Amino acid sequence: MIYLENVSYRIKEKKILENITYHFACGVYILQGESGIGKTTLLNLLCGYLKPDKGKIKKKTKLKIGYMFQEDMLFHNLTVRENFNIKCNAMELEEGNREKIIDKYCKQFKITNKLDCRVSSLSGGEKKRVQMVMLAMDDCDVWLLDEPIANLDMDNSNIIIQYLFGLKNKVVFIVSHQFIQERDNSFTLLEMKDGRLYEKK
């Protein structure tokens, strides 16, 4: 779905990414590497927030990309339901459909009992699950997730990871410092080093 061809990116004179060629087809990719090495920069290039200094990023036409940032992009002074309604309005969902969709994903991520709570009162894990509902509602072709399970307990991490690994016919790109292991090893483990992208066995 996304093809990087000799992509390079620098900040001033500092080399961040150097001559990366890689094809992201459907499947789960987990990117690891030291802090400040360029993982988030790569996400920003994949979603189009940044443009490469050299090389090309080719995408399938009409590709829908969803992005979970490290910092939550929620309205903390509003309730969870109000945040979802803002999302539904942006998506132009009909009134009759939005409640079904909200209910479906709230059950999936076990936050139904938090719908009328202000976001400011939620724990870190609950906020992450609210963000996951927002992404799931979009039904994106490509999921870009920057540290989706950072600082979460095992139960919250498992809810998110199990859902992501269950997605079909999607590109799921996870940046994580945490060790993620599924029993069938159905993912591609990537590492960034010296501006390059490597597959790890």
Side-chain angles (χ1 to χ4, degrees):
M1 285 189 182
I2 303 179
Y3 182 69
L4 279 66
E5 183 179 337
N6 300 318
V7 168
S8 297
Y9 187 83
R10 291 173 179 264
I11 297 177
K12 295 183 179 179
E13 297 303 315
K14 183 180 179 182
K15 176 181 68 177
I16 307 298
L17 305 177
E18 186 71 22
N19 202 35
I20 291 178
T21 296
Y22 197 85
H23 178 218
F24 292 97
C26 293
V28 177
Y29 300 83
I30 298 174
L31 174 60
Q32 297 179 327
E34 299 175 2
S35 295
I37 205 166
K39 301 185 298 297
T40 298
T41 298
L42 179 56
L43 287 180
N44 288 332
L45 285 163
L46 290 173
C47 76
Y49 289 155
L50 296 176
K51 301 296 182 185
D53 296 328
K54 295 180 181 179
K56 297 178 180 178
I57 300 177
K58 302 176 182 178
K59 301 175 184 177
K60 183 180 176 181
T61 55
K62 297 183 179 179
L63 200 62
K64 195 171 186 179
I65 299 177
Y67 193 161
M68 178 190 281
F69 298 87
Q70 286 191 43
E71 304 81 14
D72 70 77
M73 306 297 285
L74 304 171
F75 294 100
H76 284 224
N77 60 320
L78 301 180
T79 66
V80 172
R81 190 189 304 275
E82 288 168 336
N83 272 268
F84 289 156
N85 281 330
I86 290 171
K87 178 72 172 181
C88 290
N89 289 338
M91 295 171 62
E92 298 183 346
L93 282 178
E94 296 179 1
E95 290 286 342
N97 289 332
R98 65 174 62 187
E99 287 302 322
K100 293 178 184 178
I101 292 172
I102 290 172
D103 182 63
K104 172 185 175 181
Y105 290 116
C106 282
K107 286 179 179 176
Q108 180 92 46
F109 292 102
K110 300 181 180 179
I111 56 167
T112 303
N113 64 333
K114 300 295 180 180
L115 276 170
D116 296 311
C117 297
R118 289 187 185 274
V119 171
S120 59
S121 71
L122 302 182
S123 68
E126 289 162 349
K127 289 175 186 174
K128 289 288 188 184
R129 284 182 279 150
V130 170
Q131 289 177 274
M132 287 296 297
V133 171
M134 302 280 248
L135 277 180
M137 288 165 65
D138 261 336
D139 190 29
C140 297
D141 304 301
V142 178
W143 291 55
L144 305 176
L145 305 108
D146 199 351
E147 300 289 354
I149 60 171
N151 304 314
L152 299 189
D153 59 36
M154 186 175 294
D155 289 341
N156 279 317
S157 296
N158 286 340
I159 289 171
I160 290 174
I161 292 303
Q162 286 175 14
Y163 182 83
L164 294 173
F165 273 78
L167 292 171
K168 304 298 180 186
N169 302 316
K170 313 283 187 184
V171 173
V172 180
F173 190 85
I174 303 169
V175 168
S176 181
H177 285 95
Q178 275 83 352
F179 179 73
I180 298 173
Q181 180 68 49
E182 285 292 294
R183 283 175 295 180
D184 59 359
N185 291 318
S186 57
F187 62 88
T188 301
L189 183 61
L190 301 172
E191 181 182 24
M192 287 195 71
K193 190 174 181 181
D194 299 325
R196 301 296 183 97
L197 193 64
Y198 302 94
E199 287 190 4
K200 294 182 70 176
K201 303 299 182 182

